[in-house]
Amino acid sequence: MAANTDPGLQNQVIYSIYVRSHTQEGTFLSVIPDLDRIKALGTDIIWFMPIHPIGVQGKKGSLGCPYANRDYRDVNPAYGTMEDFRRLVDAIHQRGMKCIIDVVYNHTSPDSVLYSQHPEWFYKTPEGRPGNKIGDWSDVIDLDYSQRALWDYQIESLCRWAEIVDGFRCDVASFIPVEFWLQAREAVEKVRPGCIWLAESVHRSFGCWARRQGIYSAKDPALYAAFDMEYEYDIREVFDDYLRGKARLSQYLDLLNFQEAVYPDNYNKLRFLENHDQPRIAALVQEESDLVNYTAMLYFLKGTTLLYAGQEFENTHLPSLFEREPFDRHSGHDLSGLLARLHAIKQAFGSSDDFAAAGDDEKDIAIMERSGHEGRFVGVFSLRSRSGEVTLEVPDGSYENRIDGSTVAAREGRLRCEGRPIIFKV
């Protein structure tokens, strides 16, 4: 693990915002009036998807993709000015939250400032033209990190942003040399001590495919040397298969236990039900009671929790990256109160505590336990809202369900689940 990772990140919640689609105006300043509501959800950190100018050449859709970056050192004029962004970050800090921004260092748009100034810093196809190694990413061209001068430029850019923000979410971080990230972390630490580093590590199958094609793709354990958190894509595919009825619950739970066995004690995986690249969870889990169970389980998992704007309103539509589609604040039940309670529960958990999971495949009930600074906690999550008895090792007695204040009773190693999520302290 990175030498100076803050263990407190384990118990925090990140709220992801796409400025273009967060409000009707789609600007930096229009986010400010929403900050108190976002804070009330239990948000500790706000992550802004890319805020930089977007390339025009080869753009997708009518507005282009924010991950086709045209200038690393400026902001998208459609969102406002640099001064507007500073005002937004100040407002976030005034409310006791931190701010991280997306940095897209694997590639730029074909008409980027960097390509116009330094075409020698870019990957060339066998035909000698700028291109990218992943064919579907047709609106970008890849950078070439064998060019050491590129490292200096990119690190200087990070240091400039570190004067304003508290950290970085690094897009497809696996495709960029770990040695670069280590050097960047060391330099940024002098500007922003305690800077937060979140790696978008890639899906296990994607990383394996890339390496077979001769494309550099760092493995998750190696990335931890430079990052505080990384995506849970190493096991995500099995979770997605479970959602679609193609895998058993026990297969997913076994992989959670595998993570616990192979990573350092203080490893931190970013836990999420959805993000801007994944379907909305409410589109996949349509029963309200099931969704509440999934949400409670999300907060119980070991690692930082991610919410994608609109998740609190059970949005089923995933906003396009290429258009402006403000998310719907009236699409489903409002989960805000539940999220705030779950955040409060999360504060009692430890940062490098033991975690274990088991499950009942017949009833689709997950049983998890972890230790915390307040003691040992047990979570029972009925992902199909089925009732039934579960087996668990706790002393006989009555316990308070911290989610809703109800009482649950354990007798002779058995506890009755009525289909609602349960979290209690032993």
Side-chain angles (χ1 to χ4, degrees):
M1 292 296 296
N4 56 346
T5 289
D6 177 8
L9 290 170
Q10 288 270 4
N11 299 335
Q12 296 191 356
V13 172
I14 298 176
Y15 186 89
S16 175
I17 290 178
Y18 186 16
V19 174
R20 175 189 285 171
S21 293
H22 193 75
T23 63
Q24 292 294 328
E25 298 83 358
T27 64
F28 292 133
L29 295 183
S30 67
V31 175
I32 294 177
D34 202 28
L35 291 178
D36 288 333
R37 182 192 68 81
I38 294 170
K39 171 69 174 178
L41 297 175
T43 301
D44 301 289
I45 302 166
I46 289 179
W47 153 31
F48 288 109
M49 290 166 57
I51 60 170
H52 307 293
I54 295 170
V56 175
Q57 184 179 337
K59 72 176 182 179
K60 295 181 177 180
S62 65
L63 298 176
C65 178
Y67 290 91
N69 187 319
R70 189 165 55 82
D71 188 350
Y72 287 116
R73 297 182 175 182
D74 203 353
V75 297
N76 186 343
Y79 295 171
T81 65
M82 184 69 78
E83 181 57 32
D84 291 341
F85 181 66
R86 287 179 179 271
R87 285 178 60 188
L88 173 56
V89 176
D90 286 345
I92 290 169
H93 288 160
Q94 288 164 8
R95 289 161 174 80
M97 296 181 287
K98 292 186 176 182
C99 172
I100 65 176
I101 60 170
D102 226 314
V103 290
V104 188
Y105 268 21
N106 179 68
H107 47 258
T108 74
S109 66
D111 55 347
S112 66
V113 169
L114 206 56
Y115 182 70
S116 68
Q117 295 176 349
H118 293 283
E120 72 277 11
W121 289 354
F122 285 78
Y123 162 78
K124 302 297 190 300
T125 67
E127 295 74 31
R129 296 191 298 268
N132 72 79
K133 306 179 191 75
I134 311 298
D136 183 52
W137 300 351
S138 58
D139 56 342
V140 297
I141 52 177
D142 286 358
L143 289 157
D144 178 3
Y145 278 85
S146 69
Q147 304 294 319
R148 299 295 293 207
L150 170 63
W151 292 35
D152 297 334
Y153 181 92
Q154 298 290 62
I155 290 172
E156 182 183 345
S157 299
L158 288 169
C159 288
R160 290 188 184 191
W161 285 108
E163 294 176 354
I164 304 172
V165 301
D166 305 292
F168 304 102
R169 180 268 187 188
C170 302
D171 189 63
V172 287
S174 306
F175 286 0
I176 299 162
V178 172
E179 292 76 12
F180 167 81
W181 293 122
L182 286 166
Q183 187 172 318
R185 184 180 181 116
E186 181 179 2
V188 168
E189 187 68 16
K190 298 173 183 176
V191 179
R192 175 74 61 172
C195 181
I196 300 165
W197 293 87
L198 165 60
E200 186 201 20
S201 47
V202 299
H203 285 83
R204 184 171 69 245
S205 62
F206 190 24
C208 291
W209 173 86
R211 288 187 287 272
R212 289 197 302 271
Q213 310 308 310
I215 301 170
Y216 177 89
S217 181
K219 298 179 181 180
D220 285 15
L223 276 177
Y224 270 130
F227 286 90
D228 304 308
M229 300 173 273
E230 58 182 49
Y231 274 42
E232 61 169 6
Y233 279 158
D234 55 332
I235 67 171
R236 178 72 187 196
E237 287 157 311
V238 175
F239 179 73
D240 289 341
D241 282 345
Y242 171 69
L243 285 173
R244 293 171 171 83
K246 297 179 180 179
R248 299 186 307 277
L249 175 61
S250 59
Q251 291 175 271
Y252 170 64
L253 299 177
D254 187 54
L255 286 176
L256 289 171
N257 292 327
F258 182 75
Q259 286 182 328
E260 189 71 7
V262 299
Y263 289 122
D265 285 345
N266 59 338
Y267 78 96
N268 190 350
K269 284 285 184 179
L270 184 70
R271 307 296 185 179
F272 49 85
L273 295 175
E274 62 182 60
N275 62 46
H276 68 269
D277 285 323
Q278 301 291 320
R280 291 285 197 182
I281 189 64
L284 300 174
V285 179
Q286 297 175 356
E287 291 293 331
E288 173 71 16
S289 56
D290 296 352
L291 187 57
V292 169
N293 274 277
Y294 273 95
T295 303
M297 183 178 75
L298 170 68
Y299 277 73
F300 196 86
L301 293 173
K302 183 176 179 178
T304 304
T305 301
L306 173 68
L307 298 174
Y308 183 39
Q311 184 174 343
E312 67 270 42
F313 299 116
E314 298 184 357
N315 278 194
T316 57
H317 174 68
L318 186 68
S320 169
L321 287 177
F322 319 126
E323 309 293 344
R324 191 164 69 84
E325 297 182 343
F327 73 86
D328 188 349
R329 297 168 190 247
H330 306 284
S331 60
H333 291 86
D334 186 347
L335 298 176
S336 299
L338 173 66
L339 299 178
R341 292 195 300 275
L342 291 170
H343 177 267
I345 294 170
K346 193 175 180 70
Q347 304 316 297
F349 300 152
S351 57
S352 60
D353 53 337
D354 293 330
F355 173 91
D360 184 326
D361 282 334
E362 183 179 345
K363 300 185 183 71
D364 289 286
I365 297 176
I367 304 145
M368 302 178 180
E369 63 175 85
R370 57 184 301 173
S371 56
H373 59 79
E374 291 187 14
R376 177 181 164 217
F377 290 83
V378 174
V380 180
F381 310 104
S382 183
L383 303 182
R384 299 289 183 270
S385 301
R386 297 185 178 121
S387 300
E389 285 195 334
V390 297
T391 302
L392 66 178
E393 296 182 7
V394 298
D396 287 359
S398 296
Y399 300 93
E400 179 191 3
N401 182 359
R402 294 201 171 193
I403 297 175
D404 59 13
S406 63
T407 299
V408 295
R411 296 288 184 272
E412 299 179 349
R414 309 285 290 178
L415 181 143
R416 178 74 182 175
C417 170
E418 298 294 349
R420 297 185 300 275
I422 300 167
I423 297 176
F424 64 93
K425 184 172 79 74
V426 178

